[in-house]
């Protein structure tokens, strides 16, 4: 199975600053990668699919990039509601697999 | 508005059984693959099983094969997960999620989850 590794585990950022989250796949997943946001006590929310396409209703400050084995989620200017855990997920191979998450916390 | 509402979670002893349900609304349920995804509290996400639109194809993660059964009733807009021979390591929040199939799938809508605790 494809192993997804996210870094860093925790990212401390001040409101208004840029956040850059990384996700690495153990083998190529082409562009078949999604990003989710999860807040405490809530279900995950789809942010990005196909590595760089924003889901419906997702603000433009969220952007995704990468292909193959290296991917990045960028939040251009962190808002208070963006502090959460972010997961990547590959859907290029069975079984679909998730990264372990990056927690974005207030600095 | 798409809504997925899970129910059926609870406390069960090791070796016991539980049936989870997910009621869908706001979309044509019969047109989508559907999945169950679980999350150990405080940990990451793990896809568990999915089922094709008409129910003819079902897939499971290796750790639950032979113990869990996914099913659906399109007339009732409902998804189910029958969990037998439960183990402590099955303790998790179980989410119902809609699949968008590409090669495998990602999930564009999720329910709020239902907690399953396996403990004596």
């Amino acid at each position: 199975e494809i192993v997804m590794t996210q870094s860093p585990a925790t990212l401390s950022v001040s409101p208004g600053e840029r956040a850059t989250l990384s996700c690495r796949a153990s083998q190529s997943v082409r562009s078949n990668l999604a990003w989710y946001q999860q807040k405490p006590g809530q279900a995950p929310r789809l942010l990005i699919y196909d590595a760089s396409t924003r889901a419906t209703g997702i603000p433009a400050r969220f952007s995704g990039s990468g292909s193959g084995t290296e991917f990045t989620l960028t939040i251009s200017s962190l808002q208070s509601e963006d502090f959460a855990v972010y997961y990547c997920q590959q859907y290029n191979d069975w079984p679909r697999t998730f990264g372990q998450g990056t927690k974005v916390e207030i600095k | 508005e798409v809504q997925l509402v899970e129910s059926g979670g609870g406390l069960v002893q090791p070796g016991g059984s539980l049936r989870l349900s997910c009621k869908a609304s706001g979309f044509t349920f019969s047109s989508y693959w559907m999945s169950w995804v679980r999350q150990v509290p405080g940990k990451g996400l793990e896809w568990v099983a999915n089922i094709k639109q008409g129910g003819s194809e079902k897939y499971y993660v290796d750790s639950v094969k032979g113990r869990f059964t996914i099913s659906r009733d399109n007339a009732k807009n409902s998804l189910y997960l029958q969990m037998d021979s439960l183990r402590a390591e099955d303790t998790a929040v179980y989410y119902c999620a809609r699949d968008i199939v590409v090669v495998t799938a990602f999930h564009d809508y999720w329910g709020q989850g239902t907690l399953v605790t396996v403990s004596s």
Side-chain angles (χ1 to χ4, degrees), chain B residues 1 5 11 13 22 24 31 42 44 76 78 83 85 89 94-95 102 106 110 112 116:
Chain B
E1 178 193 5
V5 180
L11 174 64
Q13 293 188 337
C22 171
S31 295
K76 295 182 178 179
S78 293
M83 304 186 294
S85 303
E89 55 264 36
Y94 284 74
Y95 295 101
V102 178
F106 62 92
W110 300 62
Q112 85 289 349
V116 173

Side-chain angles (χ1 to χ4, degrees), chain B residues 30-98:
Chain B
S30 59
S31 295
Y32 289 86
W33 285 75
M34 296 294 296
S35 280
W36 289 97
V37 179
R38 66 184 178 184
Q39 184 174 36
V40 174
K43 303 296 184 183
L45 298 158
E46 179 184 42
W47 170 78
V48 173
N50 71 336
I51 185 168
K52 195 175 180 179
Q53 290 91 332
S56 60
E57 293 183 37
K58 306 174 185 182
Y59 300 94
Y60 301 90
V61 69
D62 285 348
S63 59
V64 308
K65 279 180 185 174
R67 300 188 300 121
F68 289 12
T69 302
I70 189 171
S71 63
R72 65 193 295 163
D73 184 337
N74 288 339
K76 295 182 178 179
N77 289 340
S78 293
L79 177 72
Y80 305 101
L81 186 67
Q82 176 67 42
M83 304 186 294
D84 299 320
S85 303
L86 281 161
R87 305 168 180 168
E89 55 264 36
D90 296 318
T91 294
V93 175
Y94 284 74
Y95 295 101
C96 164
R98 191 171 83 169

Side-chain angles (χ1 to χ4, degrees), chain A residues 33-103:
Chain A
L33 185 108
W35 289 94
Y36 302 89
Q37 176 194 68
Q38 188 177 35
K39 298 179 181 179
Q42 295 186 17
R45 172 195 182 196
L46 177 66
L47 297 176
I48 301 283
Y49 62 94
D50 293 349
S52 61
T53 303
R54 277 190 301 277
T56 303
I58 301 303
R61 64 181 181 272
F62 291 92
S63 63
S65 63
S67 66
T69 61
E70 300 285 343
F71 300 88
T72 300
L73 175 70
T74 301
I75 312 170
S76 60
S77 177
L78 270 159
Q79 308 297 303
S80 57
E81 61 267 30
D82 300 336
F83 292 95
V85 179
Y86 293 83
Y87 294 95
C88 62
Q89 180 227 326
Q90 68 82 17
Y91 47 95
N92 192 68
D93 195 34
W94 192 94
R96 66 199 78 172
T97 48
F98 294 85
Q100 81 282 11
T102 291
K103 181 180 181 180

